[in-house]
Amino acid sequence: MLARLEIQEQLRRKLAGEGPSIALLCGLATLVTLHIVWLDRFRFGFLTEWDESGYISIALDNVDALESGGPGSLASTVLDQGVQAPLVPLSAVFTNVIFGTGVDSSLLVGPIFFTVLVLSTYAVGRQLTTPWWAVLAAFCVSSAPVVADFTRLFHFAVPAAALFTSALWALLRSEGLSRRSWAIACGLLLGLMVLARSMTIAYLPGFGVAAALPLLLSRVERRNRAINLALLVGCGGALAALWYAPNLYSVGDYLLNFGYGAESSAFGEQRSPLSPAYWTAELGGLIDDLYLPLSLALAVCLAAAAASSLRRRRSIRLSQETVRRWLTSKAGLTLIVVAAGYLALTSSSNEGTAFALPWVPALVALVVAATSRIRERTLRLGLAGLLATVSVLNASMKSGLVPGVGDPVSASPPLLGTTPLLDGRGVIQGEVSAAGYPAGSPTEPMPDLHRRWLPFAERLATWSVAYAERRGRRPHLAYGFDDLLLSNTRIALGAQLALSQSIDTLFLKPFPEGDSATSYRRQLEESRSNLLATGERGPGGTGIHLTRSRVEKAARSLGFEPVRVFTLPDGRSLIAWWRDVEPPA
């Protein structure tokens, strides 16, 4: 009898010790299943989003290279991709090989990187607090609206966040760079991060400061830490250089132009550094990404933790040793990385898409860790319940299965402007709605009309290639109208799907020179495009306005002639234009 009780007690203790891990894995499995079910209901077979269309076409180009020429051809293709970071399209090769080549297989990359993000958030949380609180931090991040939305897109945001968070975990595990293997791991993960999304280069200075501080402020193991720092930089730099070295000029030009050059103004508002709006713009964007319930819950937790800390320490003595200890603590290093990331985004007017997501998990882990240190037990548990409740609300809202809770609702609190309160729609549904078409409800798939856009893109791409080749030319298609549902990137994707080959495309931009025939003529001349598509404006808008008459005026001045009229899936007309020139090699 006594032996049985001892066995039961040992089993109870074992389960109690493993409880957080079991809860984490069960929650993760549930959310991954929800993502795949959502993809099956709302994405598979439907049109693709503007940016992801281009990214998937790169992934399918990689698949074709592997199937036609083997690993050597794949490596050459990846190195020649130019501007777009290669890791995510390269990762999609594996899902396409396993599940069959196509858009649906490519979309499965999202849940894989989502899994890495959730586990790495828990791992960072464990460096800052206890297991159950780390589980709470991981649940808050995994159910956050911005994470759900970008897990369901073929996009670089979630992979970049997963690798950013993993690199931070490795940095914290290195114990101030005293552990060599973890320092090297941090460097390699940072290398993968910048290969996942090129704009994350802006986050490297924050990691650099966080890595160097323990070396500069510590009185022990300085030589060992210095060597480990050199290994961190060297390993990460060598890995990233595999792609960045041959593409340095194109990537540098792209980042500087869209981050700080003339074209950045098209993706955000220019503000003076002396204005409060300059320093709070990213905060507003973060609230929009997280939605108001989670943003408020995190703000309440942070305020309560700060108040509790101040009550506990009525007099704060900031000695040099105290500051040194805090700066080299795991919480201090994490805060440095987050703050540096915030400042990096603030410096550019380009608001981008989910640019802040990489450091959001670390920020959430910090807030949750601070909450776990509140001495008042009732307040501490109440705030934990608040975060858990909001997380359940977010997961239900984005599940596509719970009627009502996902209906779009906005709020306009003071100083914050209009920000989402609830919205269970995905990014693609929002894009369809913005284009002026019905997109279904958050619990019902989109109308069948939106299954016909990609097949039309395949037809247009097939015709374009055949028409140009019959005239002894390579096709280069310029896209001359701002349609949210049929963009140049979708034509490129159509070429990959229908022909297993790439087609050069160009989106005529009304910036930075403005919506003018002169600007469009210059872009057509520089690209030496021989095909052009113009058409009737849709019922909605893109926010990037091209005047059709000005595009066509520029085309005629260069010798373009209309050669065919296509009927779009919604009944509008698309006009294909041709001029007999050979695009540059």
Side-chain angles (χ1 to χ4, degrees):
M1 182 66 178
L2 185 60
R4 188 193 310 172
L5 289 175
E6 288 179 354
I7 292 174
Q8 291 176 345
E9 178 63 18
Q10 290 176 359
L11 182 61
R12 185 190 67 78
R13 290 179 179 176
K14 185 176 181 180
L15 288 175
E18 296 179 353
S21 299
I22 294 172
L24 175 69
L25 294 177
C26 289
L28 177 58
T30 300
L31 289 171
V32 168
T33 300
L34 283 176
H35 284 312
I36 293 175
V37 170
W38 195 94
L39 288 170
D40 181 58
R41 295 184 63 214
F42 296 96
R43 294 301 319 274
F44 291 170
F46 288 100
L47 82 165
T48 49
E49 188 264 348
W50 188 313
D51 286 339
E52 78 170 350
S53 300
Y55 302 153
I56 293 176
S57 67
I58 296 173
L60 297 184
D61 191 31
N62 289 341
V63 175
D64 292 337
L66 178 64
E67 292 177 346
S68 62
S73 177
L74 173 61
S76 176
T77 300
V78 170
L79 292 177
D80 289 340
Q81 280 168 7
V83 172
Q84 302 299 343
L87 182 64
V88 179
L90 179 60
S91 301
V93 170
F94 300 101
T95 57
N96 277 277
V97 168
I98 294 172
F99 299 106
T101 302
V103 171
D104 298 349
S105 298
S106 301
L107 289 171
L108 293 175
V109 165
I112 295 173
F113 279 105
F114 169 81
T115 300
V116 177
L117 174 60
V118 175
L119 294 176
S120 60
T121 300
Y122 173 77
V124 168
R126 280 295 293 119
Q127 296 300 302
L128 303 174
T129 186
T130 56
W132 278 112
W133 285 97
V135 170
L136 180 59
F139 189 32
C140 287
V141 169
S142 63
S143 60
V146 65
V147 173
D149 285 343
F150 283 89
T151 295
R152 296 163 178 180
L153 283 180
F154 190 87
H155 202 277
F156 301 164
V158 168
L163 292 164
F164 181 107
T165 311
S166 298
L168 176 59
W169 171 55
L171 180 63
L172 299 180
R173 287 297 306 269
S174 74
E175 303 295 340
L177 296 186
S178 63
R179 302 172 70 181
R180 181 159 300 169
S181 59
W182 285 106
I184 293 173
C186 177
L188 293 174
L189 288 166
L190 288 175
L192 290 174
M193 179 189 75
V194 297
L195 289 172
R197 195 173 194 184
S198 56
M199 61 78 50
T200 58
I201 291 174
Y203 297 142
L204 293 180
F207 275 95
V209 173
L213 272 178
L215 168 63
L216 297 174
L217 300 179
S218 175
R219 299 185 179 91
V220 296
E221 294 189 83
R222 285 194 168 182
R223 182 176 181 277
N224 182 53
R225 293 175 196 265
I227 293 173
N228 293 342
L229 178 59
L231 289 171
L232 184 158
V233 173
C235 292
L239 178 59
L242 293 175
W243 181 77
Y244 278 92
N247 296 287
L248 185 61
Y249 176 80
S250 60
V251 175
D253 181 68
Y254 173 77
L255 291 177
L256 290 175
N257 195 25
F258 280 88
Y260 300 97
E263 300 205 36
S264 66
S265 60
F267 301 95
E269 183 180 345
Q270 294 279 4
R271 300 179 178 89
S272 169
L274 300 178
S275 68
Y278 179 88
W279 300 101
T280 59
E282 286 304 323
L283 178 60
L286 179 62
I287 293 171
D288 288 344
D289 284 344
L290 296 179
Y291 292 11
L292 194 57
L294 181 56
S295 299
L296 284 179
L298 292 171
V300 169
C301 289
L302 188 59
S308 176
S309 178
L310 289 174
R311 283 197 302 270
R312 189 165 66 248
R313 303 173 183 176
R314 295 181 182 276
S315 60
I316 302 177
R317 298 176 181 176
L318 292 179
S319 65
Q320 184 177 5
E321 181 61 24
T322 301
V323 173
R324 185 193 67 80
R325 281 202 308 269
W326 185 87
L327 285 175
T328 57
S329 70
K330 293 182 177 181
L333 296 177
T334 303
L335 182 59
I336 287 169
V337 170
V338 171
Y342 184 93
L343 291 175
L345 294 188
T346 297
S347 67
S348 171
S349 62
N350 189 336
E351 296 174 2
T353 51
F355 277 180
L357 182 55
W359 45 263
V360 165
L363 174 63
V364 171
L366 278 172
V367 173
V368 171
T371 306
S372 71
R373 288 170 170 76
I374 295 176
R375 280 193 169 184
E376 297 80 2
R377 186 174 185 273
T378 302
L379 177 59
R380 185 174 69 247
L381 296 181
L383 292 173
L386 173 64
L387 290 173
T389 300
V390 170
S391 297
V392 170
L393 170 68
N394 286 338
S396 302
M397 173 181 65
K398 291 293 185 180
S399 69
L401 301 174
V402 184
V405 72
D407 294 341
V409 179
S410 296
S412 300
L415 303 178
L416 296 179
T418 302
T419 191
L421 186 64
L422 298 171
D423 193 347
R425 300 174 300 173
V427 172
I428 190 63
Q429 292 162 302
E431 190 168 280
V432 168
S433 294
Y437 296 87
S441 74
T443 55
E444 295 295 331
M446 293 183 289
D448 281 344
L449 165 67
H450 303 304
R451 293 183 181 273
R452 300 201 291 270
W453 293 102
L454 270 183
F456 176 83
E458 294 182 42
R459 186 159 66 96
L460 178 58
T462 301
W463 175 87
S464 299
V465 172
Y467 191 89
E469 289 181 347
R470 283 198 301 269
R471 284 148 184 81
R473 303 295 190 186
R474 290 181 298 104
H476 189 294
L477 175 65
Y479 211 73
F481 71 117
D482 49 343
D483 193 280
L484 270 177
L485 303 190
L486 192 66
S487 60
N488 65 308
T489 57
R490 291 177 176 109
I491 307 305
L493 176 57
Q496 285 291 345
L497 291 171
L499 305 170
S500 296
Q501 72 177 69
S502 59
I503 178 174
D504 292 328
T505 66
L506 168 73
F507 175 64
L508 295 179
K509 300 184 291 292
F511 54 84
E513 297 177 24
D515 178 29
S516 68
T518 301
S519 173
Y520 301 137
R521 178 186 171 94
R522 180 190 58 77
Q523 294 177 60
L524 290 168
E525 279 185 309
E526 290 181 354
S527 66
R528 292 186 61 81
S529 298
N530 49 25
L531 286 161
L532 170 68
T534 63
E536 299 177 52
R537 177 179 293 277
T542 63
I544 304 176
H545 179 73
L546 284 80
T547 301
R548 177 182 176 181
S549 61
R550 293 170 183 169
V551 174
E552 293 181 348
K553 178 182 178 181
R556 287 191 178 95
S557 72
L558 292 172
F560 278 94
E561 295 180 354
V563 293
R564 179 160 178 183
V565 177
F566 291 87
T567 300
L568 296 174
D570 61 351
R572 288 180 292 137
S573 295
L574 179 146
I575 301 175
W577 302 66
W578 169 261
R579 66 167 175 163
D580 193 22
V581 298
E582 179 67 12

